[in-house]
Amino acid sequence: MPLARSLSITSLSGLEEWDEEFDLEDAVLFEIAWEVANKVGGIYTVIQTKARLTAEEWGENYFLVGPYVESNVRTQVELIEPTNPALKRAIDKMNSSGCKVYFGRWLIEGSPYVVLIDVAFTAWNLDKWKKELWDNFSIGVPWFDREANDAVLFGFLTAWLLGEYAAQCEEPPHILAHFHEWLAGLGLALCRQRQLPVATIFTTHATLLGRYLCAGSVDFYNNLADVSGAVWVCLYIITPNGLNVKKFSAMHEFQNLHAQSKNRIQEFIRGHFYGHLDFNLDKCLFLFIAGRYEFSNKGADIFLEALARLNYLLRVNHSDVTVVAFFIMPARTNNFNVETLKGQAVRKQLWDTAQTVKERFGKKLYESLLVGQLPDVSKMLSKDDFTMMKRAIFATQRQCQPPICTHNMLEDSNDPILTCIRRIGLFNSSADRVKVIFHPEFLSSTSPLLPMDYEEFVRGCHLGVFPSYYEPWGYTPAECTVMGIPSISTNLSGFGCFMEEHIADPSAYGIYILDRRYRGVDESCNQLTSYLFQFCQQSRRARIIQRNRTERLSDLLDWRYLGRYYISARHMALAKAFPDTYFYQPHDSDTAQGFRYPRPASVPPSPSLSRHSSPRQSEAEEDDDRYDEDAEAEKDRLNIRQPLTLPSKKGPALPYTLPGANGERN
């Protein structure tokens, strides 16, 4: 299907319009996940950002099911009475039978209904349900495994809810239950075992097998056939995950947000490096890696090694660029360390001193001008002013190096990141062109150290680096893209494979994709170092152009388009479970038409990627010269081709979705 405009994707993967219209008025969707109104990881982002689109499709017949966590409910959920009569009767029946089930609206975009179950309140059933699990499925659960126990309780309670709802319906119900990840997956097995009239979908966002094998230094991808115990299943639909893309009416607004957030990060840097601030912040680039603290799986190991090599290249080439690399990965700590907090206190003290002197200076200047005299500069500052400034300068003296870690680590000597930093010798010395800051805690706007939420922080950085070895999708580079921040991912991540498939030249759009599938670790590290060094060589103007290109890819990741993968899975499941009511004919994805961004027509993002067709920047041109964004966008708009036939999906799988009828795997 041809494009209506340059950035409107009408056919991403070949999912065509359905042959039959689906009347969802008599169907009810329960979407079940441990991370409903309960942020743990990336699944929370999937559920939370997709809710608006799903609520628009299903209306009052869409219910999210998750665990009741009081601290989350107080700030995220408005508790109300159910308006669905059958659901109200089902919840009342469960509450009268020894459960605590709550109903409300989740205060996010779309305001979806949520059913929240207090698993701790029914823990007295744990032994009985574990025995039933063993008797019916031969699945044993460790006694002291809190996470596994929660999964058992949550699974039995969700199956109870679905069964009770079906029993309370006056007409035969058309129930669709969508289970996310293993923590909710037990409910699906129980639906099948109890033969509930429920169509089921299961989405795995990762696998424990893959995560542990990859973390164990096993060459997982090149020896997949030899992996003992690997389980192969029939796969129907791959569901890439999207985001709610926020578009700004004002041109360059996202660039302005980048500048504002960058200034706030610079303020933190001024405090963190007080006494050693011997580099130019205007020529300082902020890189970051964030996510679950899996040292090898998330690529923190290869990132650190590449930073050491980058440090060498910048030094021998006498570069005036300084790189500050942030590691935002939660680990076990006992609060901020004293030296880090002292840095921010010293910065604030210097700022207060400067403001006091400025006010005194301004008052004397004003009074001099009032009487029609030019001020005597030598008398504008008093001895008290000089004394105050000298005391402030003495306070900035520091005998030690700026800290690497912002917190006191509980296992400092065994921490993987700190151990690697000791080996490669990146200690934030004056000679280092690469500085490292390890922030072992999620970012928060209420932090006394770096008071920014994650979105603000990402907007203020220049490059996100996510060289993951195991990453079924990867929300961190996707979030960078929709905020106009270039990123580095790999061809072992779902995001990287997806962007390779839909963009002819990803690096031209600020999407650098590292080859970790067909290269050794050292080769991949050299490639990552090359990407980083090329990025450091870009002019400010080139980075602005690249950020605009990156942000123009955001439509590619919007749930408005990627949500149709989930729509297709739901329609398929309903058709399989209730063939007399619903019909769905799957299409052959190998022959389907898809969308592909061509190479941009204008300025390249880095010196090494220059082509003869690209305009050459004048040596006399100032870095901060504004370029014509409208003309730049129009070049890309005219350069967009007709949709091309896409190859079949290869490489690592994205989150898998398996639709089935009544729990059957098809």
Side-chain angles (χ1 to χ4, degrees):
M1 187 180 296
L3 293 176
R5 60 184 180 93
S6 64
L7 297 180
S8 290
I9 301 100
T10 53
S11 177
L12 282 176
S13 67
L15 284 177
E16 301 173 13
E17 295 300 326
W18 343 113
D19 293 332
E20 299 288 337
E21 287 292 329
F22 267 63
D23 182 5
L24 300 176
E25 184 177 350
D26 296 326
V28 175
L29 170 61
F30 289 91
E31 192 159 9
I32 303 160
W34 185 256
E35 298 194 34
V36 169
N38 178 40
K39 186 171 185 177
V40 178
I43 299 175
Y44 175 91
T45 307
V46 176
I47 302 294
Q48 186 243 359
T49 58
K50 185 171 61 65
R52 184 183 67 179
L53 182 79
T54 312
E56 289 174 356
E57 180 192 3
W58 288 78
E60 298 289 298
N61 293 342
Y62 175 47
F63 305 99
L64 287 158
V65 181
Y68 176 84
V69 181
E70 186 176 357
S71 58
N72 295 335
V73 171
R74 281 200 303 264
T75 57
Q76 299 183 43
V77 177
E78 177 191 8
L79 296 178
I80 59 175
E81 286 293 318
T83 56
N84 183 301
L87 183 60
K88 187 179 188 311
R89 290 193 295 269
I91 292 175
D92 290 344
K93 183 70 178 296
M94 291 180 68
N95 285 336
S96 64
S97 302
C99 299
K100 272 194 177 179
V101 183
Y102 301 83
F103 184 85
R105 283 195 181 273
W106 192 1
L107 302 178
I108 58 173
E109 286 191 84
S111 300
Y113 289 129
V114 288
V115 180
L116 302 176
I117 305 172
D118 189 341
V119 296
F121 191 77
T122 52
W124 52 275
N125 280 309
L126 188 58
D127 288 344
K128 179 182 72 173
W129 286 342
K130 280 186 176 181
K131 182 178 184 304
E132 185 177 338
L133 188 62
W134 176 257
D135 291 341
N136 293 324
F137 302 99
S138 299
I139 296 175
V141 178
W143 176 253
F144 294 107
D145 190 325
R146 171 68 181 273
E147 195 172 35
N149 288 340
D150 285 345
V152 172
L153 293 168
F154 189 56
F156 273 86
L157 286 166
T158 53
W160 186 352
L161 174 70
L162 293 172
E164 196 64 59
Y165 177 82
Q168 296 295 335
C169 288
E170 297 176 357
E171 299 289 336
H174 297 138
I175 303 172
L176 174 57
H178 187 165
F179 299 87
H180 289 268
E181 202 45 82
W182 70 274
L183 276 164
L186 181 57
L188 186 150
L190 290 168
C191 285
R192 177 182 181 180
Q193 187 261 332
R194 297 176 180 180
Q195 297 183 339
L196 299 180
V198 178
T200 58
I201 300 175
F202 178 73
T203 298
T204 176
H205 297 258
T207 65
L208 289 178
L209 178 66
R211 176 171 288 141
Y212 287 121
L213 285 175
C214 289
S217 301
V218 175
D219 189 0
F220 181 70
Y221 299 98
N222 291 317
N223 295 283
L224 197 57
D226 301 327
V227 175
S228 175
V231 179
W232 298 93
V233 295
C234 299
L235 305 175
Y236 272 89
I237 294 177
I238 295 175
T239 51
N241 289 319
L243 289 160
N244 288 331
V245 176
K246 181 180 181 181
K247 289 293 185 180
F248 299 99
S249 57
M251 191 68 72
H252 305 296
E253 179 62 21
F254 81 95
Q255 294 280 16
N256 295 335
L257 291 173
H258 165 73
Q260 294 168 15
S261 295
K262 182 181 70 174
N263 289 338
R264 296 181 65 183
I265 296 176
Q266 287 177 338
E267 281 300 290
F268 167 79
I269 294 297
R270 289 185 176 99
H272 193 82
F273 288 92
Y274 83 93
H276 295 271
L277 201 63
D278 51 3
F279 51 91
N280 186 351
L281 279 176
D282 289 332
K283 292 185 178 293
C284 188
L285 299 179
F286 301 138
L287 281 54
F288 80 99
I289 183 173
R292 187 195 298 265
Y293 194 0
E294 296 179 14
F295 184 64
S296 298
N297 283 352
K298 295 297 183 183
D301 54 350
I302 193 173
F303 184 29
L304 281 168
E305 184 62 41
L307 287 174
R309 300 180 188 188
L310 174 66
N311 187 47
Y312 171 79
L313 289 175
L314 293 175
R315 290 172 63 177
V316 299
N317 285 279
H318 305 290
S319 175
D320 59 355
V321 171
T322 300
V323 170
V324 177
F326 290 89
F327 287 73
I328 313 295
M329 292 181 159
R332 296 180 62 201
T333 69
N334 61 2
N335 219 327
F336 306 104
N337 63 49
V338 173
E339 188 62 28
T340 303
L341 290 172
K342 180 183 176 182
Q344 300 309 312
V346 169
R347 177 194 62 78
K348 187 177 185 303
Q349 180 185 353
L350 289 174
W351 175 259
D352 292 342
T353 300
Q355 293 303 305
T356 301
V357 173
K358 184 181 75 171
E359 288 177 6
R360 293 177 180 177
F361 184 95
K363 183 178 180 181
K364 292 179 181 179
L365 176 62
Y366 172 64
E367 290 173 347
S368 178
L369 295 176
L370 278 177
V371 298
Q373 296 179 356
L374 289 175
D376 184 351
V377 178
S378 63
K379 297 180 180 180
M380 296 298 288
L381 294 177
S382 67
K383 289 184 179 180
D384 288 342
D385 293 332
F386 279 103
T387 300
M388 184 184 300
M389 289 189 290
K390 286 179 180 178
R391 289 172 60 185
I393 291 173
F394 289 152
T396 65
Q397 295 179 357
R398 194 181 211 172
Q399 302 302 320
C400 62
Q401 298 281 14
I404 299 290
C405 187
T406 58
H407 292 59
N408 295 317
M409 302 291 292
L410 291 181
E411 298 179 1
D412 180 288
S413 60
N414 298 321
D415 182 78
I417 288 179
L418 296 180
T419 300
C420 184
I421 288 174
R422 296 184 190 104
R423 178 179 61 80
I424 61 180
L426 285 179
F427 297 125
N428 291 346
S429 68
S430 296
D432 289 328
R433 295 272 50 84
V434 173
K435 319 288 187 181
V436 178
I437 298 176
F438 179 25
H439 188 281
E441 188 177 70
F442 286 129
L443 297 169
S444 169
S445 59
T446 60
S447 169
L449 189 64
L450 184 55
M452 302 178 73
D453 61 29
Y454 180 71
E455 179 179 330
E456 290 175 312
F457 176 78
V458 171
R459 286 193 183 278
C461 289
H462 296 90
L463 180 70
V465 184
F466 315 105
S468 302
Y469 186 69
Y470 183 76
E471 192 76 77
W473 174 245
Y475 252 117
T476 42
E479 289 166 334
C480 285
T481 302
V482 300
M483 288 187 266
I485 304 301
S487 65
I488 298 176
S489 55
T490 75
N491 59 356
L492 293 180
S493 71
F495 173 85
C497 292
F498 180 81
M499 299 307 266
E500 271 190 327
E501 188 174 10
H502 292 292
I503 305 173
D505 186 2
S507 61
Y509 287 92
I511 307 295
Y512 300 93
I513 300 175
L514 192 67
D515 184 3
R516 296 203 66 182
R517 176 69 174 84
Y518 301 106
R519 298 191 184 198
V521 175
D522 191 61
E523 288 181 293
S524 297
C525 189
N526 283 334
Q527 186 185 18
L528 177 56
T529 306
S530 176
Y531 283 158
L532 296 177
F533 187 59
Q534 290 170 21
F535 191 83
C536 291
Q537 290 178 298
Q538 290 185 26
S539 67
R540 180 174 179 272
R541 179 176 183 272
R543 291 199 302 271
I544 291 173
I545 292 173
Q546 189 178 62
R547 282 198 296 272
N548 276 286
R549 285 223 188 100
T550 304
E551 196 271 343
R552 285 202 288 273
L553 293 178
S554 58
D555 278 354
L556 191 62
L557 300 170
D558 199 320
W559 273 123
R560 289 178 298 158
Y561 305 111
L562 299 185
R564 47 191 314 190
Y565 290 86
Y566 282 86
I567 293 172
S568 179
R570 290 193 290 264
H571 288 192
M572 186 187 298
L574 283 171
K576 287 179 177 294
F578 310 109
D580 295 337
T581 308
Y582 301 100
F583 172 80
Y584 174 76
Q585 180 63 45
H587 303 284
D588 183 359
S589 60
D590 292 337
T591 60
Q593 295 294 307
F595 179 84
R596 191 170 174 87
Y597 276 75
R599 291 181 175 86
S602 52
V603 183
S606 67
S608 64
L609 295 175
S610 298
R611 302 188 302 276
H612 65 276
S613 61
S614 302
R616 187 168 181 267
Q617 181 175 339
S618 168
E619 293 180 1
E621 184 177 55
E622 293 293 331
D623 275 355
D624 58 356
D625 280 352
R626 296 297 295 268
Y627 78 110
D628 191 334
E629 160 63 13
D630 292 333
E632 181 80 12
E634 184 62 22
K635 288 179 183 178
D636 285 346
R637 185 174 292 113
L638 295 174
N639 194 36
I640 296 289
R641 311 175 202 162
Q642 294 293 320
L644 303 175
T645 301
L646 296 178
S648 59
K649 294 188 182 292
K650 298 178 181 178
L654 287 67
Y656 294 136
T657 299
L658 289 74
N662 299 327
E664 295 286 349
R665 192 180 69 206
N666 296 283

